[in-house]
Amino acid sequence: MLAATLRDPEAAIFVCERDGALLGFCTVRIDRGPPIQLEVRRAEITDLIVRGNERRRGVGRGLVDRALAWVKERGVERCEVRVAGLNAECQRFWRSIGFGDLMDVLHRRL
Ligand SMILES: CC(C)(COP(=O)(O)OP(=O)(O)OC[C@H]1O[C@@H](n2cnc3c(N)ncnc32)[C@H](O)[C@@H]1OP(=O)(O)O)[C@@H](O)C(=O)NCCC(=O)NCCS
């Protein structure tokens, strides 16, 4: 999956490392929303993971800042992320760096 992301000119992977050790990474891609939306091009952060013992040191925020700068350089002005409603820690992370509610995703098991 990461190899496909690397080949896609509309996607990027940002990594944070120290002394050759990976502390965290973030993947982002630009795509097209349904034409009914006002802004057709939008970005989505598809993965963000920071190594457990490196959390709460600004690594996640730094990776997202880099990803958003890359998106903005491409003329795209909005970025989405999918976060489980029950994942309180991730909810707090994203909201603390300026992300807010867009829509509720409802589901039903079949
Ligand atoms: C979510 C995650 C990426 C955050 O990375 P991080 O490097 O710890 O985040 P930062 O240090 O940049 O935190 C920035 C701010 O977010 C908020 N925050 C981050 N983690 C938080 C937590 N567990 N609880 C409450 N607030 C949190 C804080 O406001 C924090 O600022 P502060 O430390 O000065 O108070 C990391 O916890 C992680 O990898 N989680 C598991 C993977 C995962 O679920 N990824 C999917 C994300 S939707």
Side-chain angles (χ1 to χ4, degrees):
M1 195 195 81
L2 289 180
T5 303
L6 281 171
R7 281 195 302 272
D8 182 350
E10 293 276 77
I13 304 173
F14 295 93
V15 300
C16 177
E17 56 178 17
R18 188 196 310 125
D19 301 328
L22 185 67
L23 307 188
F25 76 95
C26 175
T27 59
V28 61
R29 69 181 154 82
I30 294 168
D31 63 14
R32 295 189 163 269
I36 196 168
Q37 288 184 353
L38 201 57
E39 294 161 308
V40 174
R41 285 179 90 219
R42 51 121 191 251
E44 181 178 358
I45 291 182
T46 47
D47 280 299
L48 173 68
I49 298 178
V50 174
R51 192 180 285 277
N53 57 356
E54 298 289 344
R55 291 180 188 163
R56 299 305 292 267
R57 296 178 184 180
V59 173
R61 181 195 299 266
L63 285 165
V64 173
D65 284 349
R66 290 285 314 279
L68 296 183
W70 179 87
V71 167
K72 207 166 176 193
E73 281 164 20
R74 278 148 189 82
V76 176
E77 296 185 335
R78 199 169 62 82
C79 185
E80 297 178 7
V81 65
R82 287 178 162 259
V83 188
L86 293 175
N87 189 337
E89 293 188 351
C90 281
Q91 288 279 346
R92 280 199 285 272
F93 169 76
W94 288 107
R95 288 170 194 279
S96 83
I97 62 169
F99 283 69
D101 295 311
L102 177 65
M103 66 174 73
D104 290 330
V105 177
L106 307 184
H107 80 144
R108 177 182 141 183
R109 291 203 181 280
L110 304 178

